[in-house]
Amino acid sequence: MTEFFNYLNAMTKDRRKNPRDDVASVIANATIDGEPIGHLEAMSYYIIVATAGHDTTSSTAAGGLLALMQNPEEFAKLKSDPEKYLGGAIDEMIRWTTPVKHFFRTAAVDYELRGQKIKAGDNLLMCYWSANRDEDAFDDPFAFRIERSPNKHLAFGYGAHLCLGQHLAKMEIRALYKELLARLDHIELAGEPAFVEASFVSGLKRLPVRYSMKRKAA
């Protein structure tokens, strides 16, 4: 953490003297109620940007692989034409795994949702896992379908809280699966998967597999 802070302090000073068209400059030069952003607040934003996608993206990639192994017809379809199906498969992996399980929010105005009255100031649990299995929003929500369309999942949040790294996450998953699908000949479970026991961000802790790779042409 000390190395982190030293690096970020130097970057903040540089961006205040020489602002660029990047997120670091936005944070370094931010103001709150007309005053420069506090040191701790700025450091916290930097660290969130730097670390937020580690567990979530890896959990989606691994959880998506498990879902594909558990749904061999979908896996075969994806392998038959990755260029056609990979984009939809990635969104379905994200919906299916929903690595961020919930967030805490405070209601800004009075509202009524399905007969439940919510008052301004009420504390709310935004349960993304539940939202991404909502039968009113998804046809057959408990089925893993790589061609699901539309796929309006809420795994990245919504509105002002939409994940800044969503496009990077999808790009990373695409890069991984593009290489994997081109080389993978066969893969199957070789034991029971185990999940991280956490209530906020969680995913696979262990995924034992047995696999074979395609031989390279001579």
Side-chain angles (χ1 to χ4, degrees), residues 97-146:
T97 57
T98 311
V100 177
K101 305 308 178 188
H102 67 80
F103 262 108
F104 172 90
R105 293 284 182 254
T106 302
V109 297
D110 292 344
Y111 191 75
E112 185 171 326
L113 177 64
R114 294 177 179 174
Q116 178 67 46
K117 292 183 178 180
I118 301 170
K119 295 181 180 180
D122 280 354
N123 298 327
L124 303 171
L125 175 71
M126 308 293 288
C127 191
Y128 297 114
W129 180 266
S130 177
N132 285 339
R133 297 294 191 279
D134 187 349
E135 293 179 344
D136 289 345
F138 300 98
D139 178 40
D140 199 6
F142 292 94
F144 180 82
R145 297 177 176 174
I146 65 171

mmCIF file of all heavy atoms in Angstrom, residues 97-146:
data_model
loop_
_atom_site.group_PDB
_atom_site.id
_atom_site.type_symbol
_atom_site.label_atom_id
_atom_site.label_comp_id
_atom_site.label_asym_id
_atom_site.label_seq_id
_atom_site.Cartn_x
_atom_site.Cartn_y
_atom_site.Cartn_z
ATOM 1 N N THR A 97 -23.085 -15.173 -13.737
ATOM 2 C CA THR A 97 -22.224 -15.200 -12.549
ATOM 3 C C THR A 97 -22.522 -14.040 -11.599
ATOM 4 O O THR A 97 -22.426 -14.195 -10.386
ATOM 5 C CB THR A 97 -20.743 -15.153 -12.943
ATOM 6 O OG1 THR A 97 -20.485 -13.978 -13.728
ATOM 7 C CG2 THR A 97 -20.356 -16.373 -13.765
ATOM 8 N N THR A 98 -22.840 -12.857 -12.138
ATOM 9 C CA THR A 98 -23.098 -11.658 -11.331
ATOM 10 C C THR A 98 -22.130 -11.600 -10.140
ATOM 11 O O THR A 98 -22.526 -11.799 -8.992
ATOM 12 C CB THR A 98 -24.557 -11.617 -10.823
ATOM 13 O OG1 THR A 98 -25.451 -11.867 -11.916
ATOM 14 C CG2 THR A 98 -24.893 -10.260 -10.232
ATOM 15 N N PRO A 99 -20.844 -11.336 -10.393
ATOM 16 C CA PRO A 99 -19.832 -11.387 -9.317
ATOM 17 C C PRO A 99 -20.110 -10.438 -8.157
ATOM 18 O O PRO A 99 -19.852 -10.775 -7.002
ATOM 19 C CB PRO A 99 -18.530 -11.014 -10.034
ATOM 20 C CG PRO A 99 -18.776 -11.334 -11.469
ATOM 21 C CD PRO A 99 -20.222 -11.037 -11.690
ATOM 22 N N VAL A 100 -20.623 -9.223 -8.448
ATOM 23 C CA VAL A 100 -21.010 -8.307 -7.369
ATOM 24 C C VAL A 100 -22.442 -8.638 -6.986
ATOM 25 O O VAL A 100 -23.361 -8.469 -7.780
ATOM 26 C CB VAL A 100 -20.893 -6.834 -7.814
ATOM 27 C CG1 VAL A 100 -21.366 -5.905 -6.695
ATOM 28 C CG2 VAL A 100 -19.455 -6.502 -8.200
ATOM 29 N N LYS A 101 -22.627 -9.118 -5.764
ATOM 30 C CA LYS A 101 -23.937 -9.617 -5.356
ATOM 31 C C LYS A 101 -24.898 -8.514 -4.951
ATOM 32 O O LYS A 101 -26.096 -8.620 -5.160
ATOM 33 C CB LYS A 101 -23.780 -10.607 -4.199
ATOM 34 C CG LYS A 101 -22.827 -11.760 -4.490
ATOM 35 C CD LYS A 101 -23.167 -12.464 -5.788
ATOM 36 C CE LYS A 101 -22.170 -13.580 -6.091
ATOM 37 N NZ LYS A 101 -22.360 -14.153 -7.435
ATOM 38 N N HIS A 102 -24.399 -7.465 -4.325
ATOM 39 C CA HIS A 102 -25.301 -6.420 -3.853
ATOM 40 C C HIS A 102 -24.558 -5.120 -3.610
ATOM 41 O O HIS A 102 -23.324 -5.086 -3.525
ATOM 42 C CB HIS A 102 -25.998 -6.838 -2.558
ATOM 43 C CG HIS A 102 -25.050 -6.966 -1.392
ATOM 44 N ND1 HIS A 102 -24.600 -5.886 -0.667
ATOM 45 C CD2 HIS A 102 -24.469 -8.047 -0.842
ATOM 46 C CE1 HIS A 102 -23.777 -6.302 0.280
ATOM 47 N NE2 HIS A 102 -23.678 -7.613 0.193
ATOM 48 N N PHE A 103 -25.308 -4.036 -3.504
ATOM 49 C CA PHE A 103 -24.799 -2.735 -3.079
ATOM 50 C C PHE A 103 -25.833 -2.096 -2.153
ATOM 51 O O PHE A 103 -27.022 -2.412 -2.214
ATOM 52 C CB PHE A 103 -24.544 -1.806 -4.267
ATOM 53 C CG PHE A 103 -23.120 -1.756 -4.714
ATOM 54 C CD1 PHE A 103 -22.722 -2.351 -5.909
ATOM 55 C CD2 PHE A 103 -22.154 -1.099 -3.956
ATOM 56 C CE1 PHE A 103 -21.400 -2.304 -6.320
ATOM 57 C CE2 PHE A 103 -20.850 -1.036 -4.360
ATOM 58 C CZ PHE A 103 -20.464 -1.641 -5.545
ATOM 59 N N PHE A 104 -25.367 -1.235 -1.312
ATOM 60 C CA PHE A 104 -26.240 -0.476 -0.409
ATOM 61 C C PHE A 104 -26.556 0.867 -1.059
ATOM 62 O O PHE A 104 -25.669 1.515 -1.595
ATOM 63 C CB PHE A 104 -25.512 -0.268 0.925
ATOM 64 C CG PHE A 104 -26.215 0.658 1.879
ATOM 65 C CD1 PHE A 104 -27.128 0.172 2.793
ATOM 66 C CD2 PHE A 104 -25.948 2.019 1.876
ATOM 67 C CE1 PHE A 104 -27.760 1.017 3.672
ATOM 68 C CE2 PHE A 104 -26.578 2.876 2.756
ATOM 69 C CZ PHE A 104 -27.486 2.376 3.662
ATOM 70 N N ARG A 105 -27.825 1.249 -1.023
ATOM 71 C CA ARG A 105 -28.223 2.537 -1.571
ATOM 72 C C ARG A 105 -29.231 3.197 -0.623
ATOM 73 O O ARG A 105 -29.886 2.529 0.181
ATOM 74 C CB ARG A 105 -28.860 2.388 -2.962
ATOM 75 C CG ARG A 105 -27.896 1.913 -4.043
ATOM 76 C CD ARG A 105 -26.981 3.004 -4.497
ATOM 77 N NE ARG A 105 -26.090 2.554 -5.562
ATOM 78 C CZ ARG A 105 -24.803 2.297 -5.398
ATOM 79 N NH1 ARG A 105 -24.246 2.480 -4.220
ATOM 80 N NH2 ARG A 105 -24.072 1.904 -6.410
ATOM 81 N N THR A 106 -29.377 4.516 -0.766
ATOM 82 C CA THR A 106 -30.357 5.282 0.004
ATOM 83 C C THR A 106 -31.334 5.918 -0.961
ATOM 84 O O THR A 106 -30.921 6.584 -1.922
ATOM 85 C CB THR A 106 -29.663 6.373 0.841
ATOM 86 O OG1 THR A 106 -28.705 5.760 1.705
ATOM 87 C CG2 THR A 106 -30.679 7.122 1.698
ATOM 88 N N ALA A 107 -32.634 5.712 -0.737
ATOM 89 C CA ALA A 107 -33.654 6.269 -1.622
ATOM 90 C C ALA A 107 -33.610 7.796 -1.585
ATOM 91 O O ALA A 107 -33.578 8.398 -0.512
ATOM 92 C CB ALA A 107 -35.029 5.777 -1.202
ATOM 93 N N ALA A 108 -33.593 8.403 -2.770
ATOM 94 C CA ALA A 108 -33.532 9.867 -2.858
ATOM 95 C C ALA A 108 -34.921 10.496 -2.816
ATOM 96 O O ALA A 108 -35.081 11.638 -2.374
ATOM 97 C CB ALA A 108 -32.814 10.288 -4.142
ATOM 98 N N VAL A 109 -35.936 9.746 -3.273
ATOM 99 C CA VAL A 109 -37.308 10.265 -3.306
ATOM 100 C C VAL A 109 -38.273 9.160 -2.874
ATOM 101 O O VAL A 109 -37.913 7.980 -2.838
ATOM 102 C CB VAL A 109 -37.700 10.752 -4.724
ATOM 103 C CG1 VAL A 109 -36.813 11.912 -5.162
ATOM 104 C CG2 VAL A 109 -37.616 9.602 -5.735
ATOM 105 N N ASP A 110 -39.494 9.542 -2.554
ATOM 106 C CA ASP A 110 -40.533 8.549 -2.268
ATOM 107 C C ASP A 110 -40.858 7.783 -3.553
ATOM 108 O O ASP A 110 -40.888 8.373 -4.644
ATOM 109 C CB ASP A 110 -41.809 9.232 -1.760
ATOM 110 C CG ASP A 110 -41.627 9.869 -0.386
ATOM 111 O OD1 ASP A 110 -40.636 9.531 0.293
ATOM 112 O OD2 ASP A 110 -42.470 10.693 -0.001
ATOM 113 N N TYR A 111 -41.106 6.482 -3.415
ATOM 114 C CA TYR A 111 -41.371 5.677 -4.600
ATOM 115 C C TYR A 111 -42.159 4.433 -4.188
ATOM 116 O O TYR A 111 -42.065 3.982 -3.050
ATOM 117 C CB TYR A 111 -40.050 5.251 -5.254
ATOM 118 C CG TYR A 111 -40.204 4.645 -6.630
ATOM 119 C CD1 TYR A 111 -40.484 5.444 -7.733
ATOM 120 C CD2 TYR A 111 -40.062 3.275 -6.829
ATOM 121 C CE1 TYR A 111 -40.618 4.890 -8.998
ATOM 122 C CE2 TYR A 111 -40.201 2.711 -8.087
ATOM 123 C CZ TYR A 111 -40.471 3.533 -9.168
ATOM 124 O OH TYR A 111 -40.616 2.997 -10.426
ATOM 125 N N GLU A 112 -42.923 3.911 -5.117
ATOM 126 C CA GLU A 112 -43.643 2.671 -4.865
ATOM 127 C C GLU A 112 -43.263 1.652 -5.920
ATOM 128 O O GLU A 112 -43.378 1.908 -7.123
ATOM 129 C CB GLU A 112 -45.155 2.891 -4.877
ATOM 130 C CG GLU A 112 -45.937 1.630 -4.504
ATOM 131 C CD GLU A 112 -47.424 1.872 -4.299
ATOM 132 O OE1 GLU A 112 -47.781 2.976 -3.814
ATOM 133 O OE2 GLU A 112 -48.219 0.964 -4.623
ATOM 134 N N LEU A 113 -42.805 0.491 -5.489
ATOM 135 C CA LEU A 113 -42.357 -0.564 -6.395
ATOM 136 C C LEU A 113 -43.133 -1.833 -6.094
ATOM 137 O O LEU A 113 -43.020 -2.404 -5.011
ATOM 138 C CB LEU A 113 -40.857 -0.808 -6.231
ATOM 139 C CG LEU A 113 -40.250 -1.938 -7.075
ATOM 140 C CD1 LEU A 113 -40.361 -1.607 -8.561
ATOM 141 C CD2 LEU A 113 -38.793 -2.173 -6.694
ATOM 142 N N ARG A 114 -43.966 -2.265 -7.028
ATOM 143 C CA ARG A 114 -44.754 -3.485 -6.888
ATOM 144 C C ARG A 114 -45.521 -3.519 -5.568
ATOM 145 O O ARG A 114 -45.554 -4.525 -4.864
ATOM 146 C CB ARG A 114 -43.850 -4.707 -7.003
ATOM 147 C CG ARG A 114 -43.221 -4.871 -8.380
ATOM 148 C CD ARG A 114 -42.280 -6.032 -8.446
ATOM 149 N NE ARG A 114 -41.721 -6.179 -9.785
ATOM 150 C CZ ARG A 114 -40.763 -7.060 -10.092
ATOM 151 N NH1 ARG A 114 -40.279 -7.859 -9.163
ATOM 152 N NH2 ARG A 114 -40.295 -7.131 -11.318
ATOM 153 N N GLY A 115 -46.123 -2.387 -5.218
ATOM 154 C CA GLY A 115 -46.921 -2.302 -4.018
ATOM 155 C C GLY A 115 -46.146 -2.022 -2.748
ATOM 156 O O GLY A 115 -46.725 -1.806 -1.689
ATOM 157 N N GLN A 116 -44.821 -2.020 -2.851
ATOM 158 C CA GLN A 116 -43.978 -1.738 -1.688
ATOM 159 C C GLN A 116 -43.619 -0.255 -1.668
ATOM 160 O O GLN A 116 -43.004 0.254 -2.602
ATOM 161 C CB GLN A 116 -42.693 -2.563 -1.750
ATOM 162 C CG GLN A 116 -41.719 -2.311 -0.607
ATOM 163 C CD GLN A 116 -42.250 -2.782 0.732
ATOM 164 O OE1 GLN A 116 -42.781 -3.879 0.849
ATOM 165 N NE2 GLN A 116 -42.132 -1.945 1.742
ATOM 166 N N LYS A 117 -44.020 0.445 -0.608
ATOM 167 C CA LYS A 117 -43.741 1.869 -0.518
ATOM 168 C C LYS A 117 -42.330 2.107 0.032
ATOM 169 O O LYS A 117 -41.954 1.566 1.065
ATOM 170 C CB LYS A 117 -44.773 2.564 0.361
ATOM 171 C CG LYS A 117 -46.171 2.574 -0.268
ATOM 172 C CD LYS A 117 -47.173 3.331 0.596
ATOM 173 C CE LYS A 117 -48.550 3.357 -0.075
ATOM 174 N NZ LYS A 117 -49.555 4.086 0.749
ATOM 175 N N ILE A 118 -41.579 2.915 -0.694
ATOM 176 C CA ILE A 118 -40.218 3.272 -0.302
ATOM 177 C C ILE A 118 -40.196 4.770 -0.039
ATOM 178 O O ILE A 118 -40.647 5.558 -0.870
ATOM 179 C CB ILE A 118 -39.214 2.911 -1.416
ATOM 180 C CG1 ILE A 118 -39.278 1.407 -1.716
ATOM 181 C CG2 ILE A 118 -37.801 3.330 -1.030
ATOM 182 C CD1 ILE A 118 -38.513 1.001 -2.958
ATOM 183 N N LYS A 119 -39.681 5.160 1.106
ATOM 184 C CA LYS A 119 -39.629 6.573 1.459
ATOM 185 C C LYS A 119 -38.228 7.130 1.261
ATOM 186 O O LYS A 119 -37.245 6.414 1.398
ATOM 187 C CB LYS A 119 -40.052 6.771 2.922
ATOM 188 C CG LYS A 119 -41.499 6.401 3.200
ATOM 189 C CD LYS A 119 -41.840 6.644 4.656
ATOM 190 C CE LYS A 119 -43.286 6.276 4.942
ATOM 191 N NZ LYS A 119 -43.636 6.500 6.378
ATOM 192 N N ALA A 120 -38.149 8.425 0.916
ATOM 193 C CA ALA A 120 -36.848 9.082 0.783
ATOM 194 C C ALA A 120 -36.079 8.901 2.085
ATOM 195 O O ALA A 120 -36.617 9.110 3.176
ATOM 196 C CB ALA A 120 -37.034 10.558 0.476
ATOM 197 N N GLY A 121 -34.837 8.475 1.962
ATOM 198 C CA GLY A 121 -34.013 8.246 3.139
ATOM 199 C C GLY A 121 -33.976 6.799 3.590
ATOM 200 O O GLY A 121 -33.144 6.431 4.429
ATOM 201 N N ASP A 122 -34.865 5.961 3.040
ATOM 202 C CA ASP A 122 -34.850 4.542 3.397
ATOM 203 C C ASP A 122 -33.569 3.877 2.897
ATOM 204 O O ASP A 122 -33.063 4.201 1.812
ATOM 205 C CB ASP A 122 -36.047 3.812 2.779
ATOM 206 C CG ASP A 122 -37.332 4.013 3.560
ATOM 207 O OD1 ASP A 122 -37.272 4.633 4.644
ATOM 208 O OD2 ASP A 122 -38.391 3.558 3.083
ATOM 209 N N ASN A 123 -33.052 2.954 3.677
ATOM 210 C CA ASN A 123 -31.886 2.176 3.271
ATOM 211 C C ASN A 123 -32.346 0.982 2.444
ATOM 212 O O ASN A 123 -33.302 0.287 2.815
ATOM 213 C CB ASN A 123 -31.117 1.687 4.495
ATOM 214 C CG ASN A 123 -30.590 2.839 5.326
ATOM 215 O OD1 ASN A 123 -30.248 3.880 4.794
ATOM 216 N ND2 ASN A 123 -30.533 2.658 6.632
ATOM 217 N N LEU A 124 -31.676 0.736 1.332
ATOM 218 C CA LEU A 124 -32.094 -0.311 0.405
ATOM 219 C C LEU A 124 -30.932 -1.243 0.067
ATOM 220 O O LEU A 124 -29.779 -0.822 -0.020
ATOM 221 C CB LEU A 124 -32.610 0.302 -0.893
ATOM 222 C CG LEU A 124 -33.760 1.304 -0.786
ATOM 223 C CD1 LEU A 124 -33.996 1.960 -2.131
ATOM 224 C CD2 LEU A 124 -35.018 0.614 -0.291
ATOM 225 N N LEU A 125 -31.264 -2.515 -0.141
ATOM 226 C CA LEU A 125 -30.298 -3.494 -0.626
ATOM 227 C C LEU A 125 -30.568 -3.728 -2.104
ATOM 228 O O LEU A 125 -31.655 -4.188 -2.472
ATOM 229 C CB LEU A 125 -30.441 -4.821 0.138
ATOM 230 C CG LEU A 125 -29.547 -5.952 -0.366
ATOM 231 C CD1 LEU A 125 -28.089 -5.678 -0.002
ATOM 232 C CD2 LEU A 125 -29.989 -7.286 0.213
ATOM 233 N N MET A 126 -29.623 -3.357 -2.954
ATOM 234 C CA MET A 126 -29.736 -3.597 -4.391
ATOM 235 C C MET A 126 -29.148 -4.979 -4.671
ATOM 236 O O MET A 126 -27.941 -5.153 -4.729
ATOM 237 C CB MET A 126 -28.972 -2.527 -5.166
ATOM 238 C CG MET A 126 -29.339 -1.105 -4.784
ATOM 239 S SD MET A 126 -31.029 -0.673 -5.230
ATOM 240 C CE MET A 126 -30.876 -0.542 -6.999
ATOM 241 N N CYS A 127 -30.009 -5.970 -4.810
ATOM 242 C CA CYS A 127 -29.570 -7.349 -4.968
ATOM 243 C C CYS A 127 -29.458 -7.699 -6.453
ATOM 244 O O CYS A 127 -30.438 -8.069 -7.103
ATOM 245 C CB CYS A 127 -30.549 -8.290 -4.265
ATOM 246 S SG CYS A 127 -29.957 -9.974 -4.132
ATOM 247 N N TYR A 128 -28.266 -7.571 -6.992
ATOM 248 C CA TYR A 128 -28.050 -7.778 -8.425
ATOM 249 C C TYR A 128 -28.255 -9.237 -8.825
ATOM 250 O O TYR A 128 -28.705 -9.530 -9.933
ATOM 251 C CB TYR A 128 -26.651 -7.312 -8.815
ATOM 252 C CG TYR A 128 -26.447 -5.837 -8.586
ATOM 253 C CD1 TYR A 128 -25.547 -5.363 -7.634
ATOM 254 C CD2 TYR A 128 -27.188 -4.900 -9.304
ATOM 255 C CE1 TYR A 128 -25.371 -4.001 -7.415
ATOM 256 C CE2 TYR A 128 -27.018 -3.543 -9.089
ATOM 257 C CZ TYR A 128 -26.117 -3.105 -8.144
ATOM 258 O OH TYR A 128 -25.963 -1.759 -7.925
ATOM 259 N N TRP A 129 -27.904 -10.144 -7.945
ATOM 260 C CA TRP A 129 -28.104 -11.566 -8.231
ATOM 261 C C TRP A 129 -29.585 -11.844 -8.496
ATOM 262 O O TRP A 129 -29.938 -12.558 -9.425
ATOM 263 C CB TRP A 129 -27.596 -12.386 -7.048
ATOM 264 C CG TRP A 129 -27.747 -13.852 -7.198
ATOM 265 C CD1 TRP A 129 -28.784 -14.613 -6.752
ATOM 266 C CD2 TRP A 129 -26.852 -14.744 -7.860
ATOM 267 N NE1 TRP A 129 -28.587 -15.937 -7.080
ATOM 268 C CE2 TRP A 129 -27.416 -16.049 -7.760
ATOM 269 C CE3 TRP A 129 -25.640 -14.587 -8.530
ATOM 270 C CZ2 TRP A 129 -26.787 -17.174 -8.299
ATOM 271 C CZ3 TRP A 129 -25.023 -15.714 -9.066
ATOM 272 C CH2 TRP A 129 -25.586 -16.978 -8.948
ATOM 273 N N SER A 130 -30.449 -11.259 -7.678
ATOM 274 C CA SER A 130 -31.886 -11.433 -7.857
ATOM 275 C C SER A 130 -32.369 -10.745 -9.128
ATOM 276 O O SER A 130 -33.159 -11.311 -9.898
ATOM 277 C CB SER A 130 -32.628 -10.884 -6.641
ATOM 278 O OG SER A 130 -34.033 -10.970 -6.820
ATOM 279 N N ALA A 131 -31.896 -9.519 -9.357
ATOM 280 C CA ALA A 131 -32.328 -8.766 -10.541
ATOM 281 C C ALA A 131 -31.988 -9.508 -11.826
ATOM 282 O O ALA A 131 -32.768 -9.505 -12.790
ATOM 283 C CB ALA A 131 -31.670 -7.388 -10.550
ATOM 284 N N ASN A 132 -30.845 -10.170 -11.850
ATOM 285 C CA ASN A 132 -30.425 -10.878 -13.057
ATOM 286 C C ASN A 132 -31.078 -12.248 -13.221
ATOM 287 O O ASN A 132 -30.761 -12.978 -14.159
ATOM 288 C CB ASN A 132 -28.903 -11.008 -13.077
ATOM 289 C CG ASN A 132 -28.233 -9.693 -13.439
ATOM 290 O OD1 ASN A 132 -28.856 -8.815 -14.033
ATOM 291 N ND2 ASN A 132 -26.963 -9.544 -13.094
ATOM 292 N N ARG A 133 -31.988 -12.575 -12.291
ATOM 293 C CA ARG A 133 -32.817 -13.779 -12.430
ATOM 294 C C ARG A 133 -34.305 -13.399 -12.419
ATOM 295 O O ARG A 133 -35.165 -14.232 -12.151
ATOM 296 C CB ARG A 133 -32.540 -14.762 -11.280
ATOM 297 C CG ARG A 133 -31.114 -15.310 -11.211
ATOM 298 C CD ARG A 133 -30.788 -16.196 -12.399
ATOM 299 N NE ARG A 133 -29.535 -16.920 -12.224
ATOM 300 C CZ ARG A 133 -28.322 -16.409 -12.434
ATOM 301 N NH1 ARG A 133 -28.195 -15.138 -12.800
ATOM 302 N NH2 ARG A 133 -27.240 -17.134 -12.275
ATOM 303 N N ASP A 134 -34.588 -12.147 -12.710
ATOM 304 C CA ASP A 134 -35.963 -11.627 -12.646
ATOM 305 C C ASP A 134 -36.773 -12.166 -13.825
ATOM 306 O O ASP A 134 -36.468 -11.895 -14.989
ATOM 307 C CB ASP A 134 -35.927 -10.099 -12.683
ATOM 308 C CG ASP A 134 -37.296 -9.467 -12.451
ATOM 309 O OD1 ASP A 134 -38.300 -10.196 -12.461
ATOM 310 O OD2 ASP A 134 -37.346 -8.242 -12.258
ATOM 311 N N GLU A 135 -37.836 -12.915 -13.509
ATOM 312 C CA GLU A 135 -38.663 -13.510 -14.566
ATOM 313 C C GLU A 135 -39.431 -12.461 -15.359
ATOM 314 O O GLU A 135 -39.884 -12.742 -16.479
ATOM 315 C CB GLU A 135 -39.622 -14.521 -13.945
ATOM 316 C CG GLU A 135 -38.905 -15.738 -13.374
ATOM 317 C CD GLU A 135 -39.848 -16.720 -12.730
ATOM 318 O OE1 GLU A 135 -41.008 -16.335 -12.450
ATOM 319 O OE2 GLU A 135 -39.437 -17.869 -12.493
ATOM 320 N N ASP A 136 -39.599 -11.261 -14.801
ATOM 321 C CA ASP A 136 -40.268 -10.191 -15.544
ATOM 322 C C ASP A 136 -39.333 -9.550 -16.570
ATOM 323 O O ASP A 136 -39.782 -8.903 -17.516
ATOM 324 C CB ASP A 136 -40.771 -9.100 -14.592
ATOM 325 C CG ASP A 136 -41.942 -9.578 -13.754
ATOM 326 O OD1 ASP A 136 -42.540 -10.616 -14.107
ATOM 327 O OD2 ASP A 136 -42.264 -8.911 -12.747
ATOM 328 N N ALA A 137 -38.033 -9.722 -16.370
ATOM 329 C CA ALA A 137 -37.055 -9.083 -17.251
ATOM 330 C C ALA A 137 -36.382 -10.062 -18.209
ATOM 331 O O ALA A 137 -35.908 -9.668 -19.271
ATOM 332 C CB ALA A 137 -35.980 -8.380 -16.415
ATOM 333 N N PHE A 138 -36.354 -11.360 -17.830
ATOM 334 C CA PHE A 138 -35.646 -12.352 -18.641
ATOM 335 C C PHE A 138 -36.531 -13.564 -18.900
ATOM 336 O O PHE A 138 -37.183 -14.078 -17.990
ATOM 337 C CB PHE A 138 -34.364 -12.822 -17.933
ATOM 338 C CG PHE A 138 -33.376 -11.728 -17.663
ATOM 339 C CD1 PHE A 138 -33.320 -11.132 -16.408
ATOM 340 C CD2 PHE A 138 -32.512 -11.293 -18.652
ATOM 341 C CE1 PHE A 138 -32.417 -10.120 -16.146
ATOM 342 C CE2 PHE A 138 -31.607 -10.274 -18.400
ATOM 343 C CZ PHE A 138 -31.551 -9.681 -17.151
ATOM 344 N N ASP A 139 -36.531 -14.008 -20.134
ATOM 345 C CA ASP A 139 -37.225 -15.233 -20.501
ATOM 346 C C ASP A 139 -36.395 -16.421 -20.015
ATOM 347 O O ASP A 139 -35.215 -16.536 -20.343
ATOM 348 C CB ASP A 139 -37.404 -15.292 -22.021
ATOM 349 C CG ASP A 139 -38.069 -16.571 -22.472
ATOM 350 O OD1 ASP A 139 -39.008 -17.022 -21.787
ATOM 351 O OD2 ASP A 139 -37.626 -17.137 -23.491
ATOM 352 N N ASP A 140 -37.008 -17.307 -19.232
ATOM 353 C CA ASP A 140 -36.314 -18.482 -18.697
ATOM 354 C C ASP A 140 -34.983 -18.071 -18.042
ATOM 355 O O ASP A 140 -33.904 -18.493 -18.470
ATOM 356 C CB ASP A 140 -36.055 -19.483 -19.832
ATOM 357 C CG ASP A 140 -35.774 -20.887 -19.310
ATOM 358 O OD1 ASP A 140 -35.893 -21.100 -18.093
ATOM 359 O OD2 ASP A 140 -35.403 -21.747 -20.124
ATOM 360 N N PRO A 141 -35.043 -17.260 -16.986
ATOM 361 C CA PRO A 141 -33.837 -16.659 -16.408
ATOM 362 C C PRO A 141 -32.860 -17.640 -15.786
ATOM 363 O O PRO A 141 -31.676 -17.314 -15.618
ATOM 364 C CB PRO A 141 -34.395 -15.713 -15.340
ATOM 365 C CG PRO A 141 -35.711 -16.301 -14.966
ATOM 366 C CD PRO A 141 -36.255 -16.876 -16.239
ATOM 367 N N PHE A 142 -33.315 -18.855 -15.459
ATOM 368 C CA PHE A 142 -32.427 -19.825 -14.823
ATOM 369 C C PHE A 142 -31.782 -20.766 -15.843
ATOM 370 O O PHE A 142 -31.221 -21.790 -15.477
ATOM 371 C CB PHE A 142 -33.183 -20.619 -13.754
ATOM 372 C CG PHE A 142 -33.569 -19.759 -12.580
ATOM 373 C CD1 PHE A 142 -34.817 -19.164 -12.530
ATOM 374 C CD2 PHE A 142 -32.673 -19.523 -11.546
ATOM 375 C CE1 PHE A 142 -35.177 -18.362 -11.456
ATOM 376 C CE2 PHE A 142 -33.018 -18.726 -10.474
ATOM 377 C CZ PHE A 142 -34.268 -18.131 -10.429
ATOM 378 N N ALA A 143 -31.866 -20.390 -17.111
ATOM 379 C CA ALA A 143 -31.187 -21.127 -18.180
ATOM 380 C C ALA A 143 -30.023 -20.299 -18.692
ATOM 381 O O ALA A 143 -30.116 -19.074 -18.811
ATOM 382 C CB ALA A 143 -32.161 -21.431 -19.318
ATOM 383 N N PHE A 144 -28.909 -20.954 -18.992
ATOM 384 C CA PHE A 144 -27.722 -20.296 -19.539
ATOM 385 C C PHE A 144 -27.796 -20.354 -21.055
ATOM 386 O O PHE A 144 -27.715 -21.428 -21.654
ATOM 387 C CB PHE A 144 -26.457 -21.002 -19.034
ATOM 388 C CG PHE A 144 -25.177 -20.396 -19.541
ATOM 389 C CD1 PHE A 144 -24.635 -19.271 -18.927
ATOM 390 C CD2 PHE A 144 -24.511 -20.955 -20.617
ATOM 391 C CE1 PHE A 144 -23.455 -18.703 -19.381
ATOM 392 C CE2 PHE A 144 -23.327 -20.407 -21.081
ATOM 393 C CZ PHE A 144 -22.801 -19.279 -20.468
ATOM 394 N N ARG A 145 -27.979 -19.194 -21.696
ATOM 395 C CA ARG A 145 -28.155 -19.122 -23.149
ATOM 396 C C ARG A 145 -27.215 -18.086 -23.739
ATOM 397 O O ARG A 145 -27.345 -16.886 -23.463
ATOM 398 C CB ARG A 145 -29.596 -18.740 -23.499
ATOM 399 C CG ARG A 145 -30.652 -19.736 -23.062
ATOM 400 C CD ARG A 145 -32.025 -19.192 -23.410
ATOM 401 N NE ARG A 145 -33.097 -20.127 -23.104
ATOM 402 C CZ ARG A 145 -34.393 -19.838 -23.216
ATOM 403 N NH1 ARG A 145 -34.743 -18.619 -23.635
ATOM 404 N NH2 ARG A 145 -35.307 -20.732 -22.923
ATOM 405 N N ILE A 146 -26.296 -18.516 -24.579
ATOM 406 C CA ILE A 146 -25.314 -17.569 -25.132
ATOM 407 C C ILE A 146 -25.939 -16.667 -26.197
ATOM 408 O O ILE A 146 -25.348 -15.646 -26.559
ATOM 409 C CB ILE A 146 -24.077 -18.297 -25.710
ATOM 410 C CG1 ILE A 146 -24.453 -19.165 -26.915
ATOM 411 C CG2 ILE A 146 -23.405 -19.134 -24.639
ATOM 412 C CD1 ILE A 146 -23.239 -19.727 -27.647
#
